[in-house]
Amino acid sequence: MSSGHESNVVINDVKQSKAYIGGHSFAGITSFILTKGVLLVPIQNLKTKQQILGKDLLLNKNQLFNGLNLELIIQFLNFGTRVLTNSLCSKYLNIVSPTLSSVVGNVIVLPLVRKRLLNICELSDTNNNHFYNWKQIIYKSLPYLLYGILEDGISTILYQQFSENDFLNNLFNLSTNIYNERLVQSFILGCVKALLCPLEVLYKKSLIGYDSKKGKEKRDMYRGIGYGFIEAFCLIYLKYSVYKLTSTAIIGSE
């Protein structure tokens, strides 16, 4: 349900595509599964149960990793769709639109995201048949799509402003230290997730048609806000760190 900064990835030629499925593929897949699956799923499960059910829960081992396979499918499908969208736009339209690729990717995985939310909250889909009315699908999906656009857009703009500031760039050594770059990106994404927490709660409840008295107060709209920073750290900093360490161990430094 979270993608990190992947809306700008473009494959321009066969040589580059071979690199994706060649020497670096094992490291990439390993980092993807570990940080976007094994580490991310428990965080998402805890966060979503807080946001939807409105209470703090301690989950057992099975509950923590509930939906791991489905989340990995969502992440791989979303990533692949974004890369394909960017690559086609770059080749035929000579443009790259992170916003467009974000929307297309989120639309493709929408049914799976809804299924994942229902599974986390252990809710039945039998009372939500109205969702399959096209007007209802569009209406209930708007907060989810808006969240994806805002998360990608705001975090990208903030990082651009941050990196273009000479003082901050030199202070964090962003030009030469990619780990610092990823750390700053993680922090910015975490802040954006915190800012958009009410919208995240809204889209999750909207997708599954969940309504309760809880979550009506302003403070309830920020439940699980701290998990957003952990998510961002997994999606960007840890993902790159695992990839780099694994690829270096396999093929050496480049």
Side-chain angles (χ1 to χ4, degrees), residues 62-119:
N62 292 331
Q63 290 175 318
L64 277 176
F65 294 98
N66 177 39
L68 175 59
N69 293 338
L70 182 57
E71 181 63 28
L72 286 173
I73 292 173
I74 292 171
Q75 293 289 351
F76 275 112
L77 184 57
N78 199 341
F79 172 74
T81 303
R82 291 179 183 221
V83 174
L84 179 60
T85 301
N86 278 334
S87 302
L88 292 175
C89 287
S90 176
K91 182 176 181 179
Y92 295 106
L93 302 177
N94 199 30
I95 61 170
V96 174
S97 174
T99 301
L100 176 62
S101 65
S102 173
V103 171
V104 173
N106 288 336
V107 167
I108 293 297
V109 300
L110 175 60
L112 297 178
V113 170
R114 182 169 181 270
K115 182 178 180 180
R116 171 107 166 87
L117 291 173
L118 289 168
N119 288 345

Side-chain angles (χ1 to χ4, degrees), residues 36-208:
K36 290 200 166 194
V38 177
L39 295 179
L40 188 64
V41 164
I43 298 168
Q44 289 182 337
N45 290 351
L46 287 165
K47 180 182 182 182
T48 299
K49 283 212 169 187
Q50 278 192 8
Q51 291 174 326
I52 303 298
L53 303 180
K55 57 185 178 180
D56 297 332
L57 297 168
L58 292 177
L59 306 181
N60 60 40
K61 183 179 179 181
N62 292 331
Q63 290 175 318
L64 277 176
F65 294 98
N66 177 39
L68 175 59
N69 293 338
L70 182 57
E71 181 63 28
L72 286 173
I73 292 173
I74 292 171
Q75 293 289 351
F76 275 112
L77 184 57
N78 199 341
F79 172 74
T81 303
R82 291 179 183 221
V83 174
L84 179 60
T85 301
N86 278 334
S87 302
L88 292 175
C89 287
S90 176
K91 182 176 181 179
Y92 295 106
L93 302 177
N94 199 30
I95 61 170
V96 174
S97 174
T99 301
L100 176 62
S101 65
S102 173
V103 171
V104 173
N106 288 336
V107 167
I108 293 297
V109 300
L110 175 60
L112 297 178
V113 170
R114 182 169 181 270
K115 182 178 180 180
R116 171 107 166 87
L117 291 173
L118 289 168
N119 288 345
I120 291 176
C121 298
E122 300 175 345
L123 297 174
S124 171
D125 197 24
T126 55
N127 295 323
N128 289 281
N129 291 329
H130 61 276
F131 185 85
Y132 297 101
N133 176 288
W134 280 105
K135 291 182 179 179
Q136 287 294 322
I137 290 176
I138 295 173
Y139 173 73
K140 291 181 176 292
S141 301
L142 285 178
Y144 165 71
L145 297 176
L146 179 61
Y147 179 88
I149 293 171
L150 291 177
E151 184 187 73
D152 279 347
I154 296 175
S155 57
T156 298
I157 291 172
L158 288 179
Y159 180 73
Q160 286 177 346
Q161 294 298 316
F162 191 101
S163 61
E164 289 173 1
N165 183 292
D166 291 337
F167 173 75
L168 294 175
N169 197 319
N170 293 330
L171 178 65
F172 291 93
N173 197 22
L174 299 179
S175 301
T176 56
N177 192 321
I178 197 164
Y179 283 98
N180 286 358
E181 177 187 293
R182 293 294 192 269
L183 189 60
V184 169
Q185 288 177 341
S186 299
F187 177 73
I188 290 175
L189 180 59
C191 290
V192 173
K193 284 182 175 292
L195 176 67
L196 297 177
C197 193
L199 182 57
E200 182 180 10
V201 175
L202 176 62
Y203 94 66
K204 287 179 178 179
K205 289 187 175 183
S206 178
L207 283 182
I208 63 177

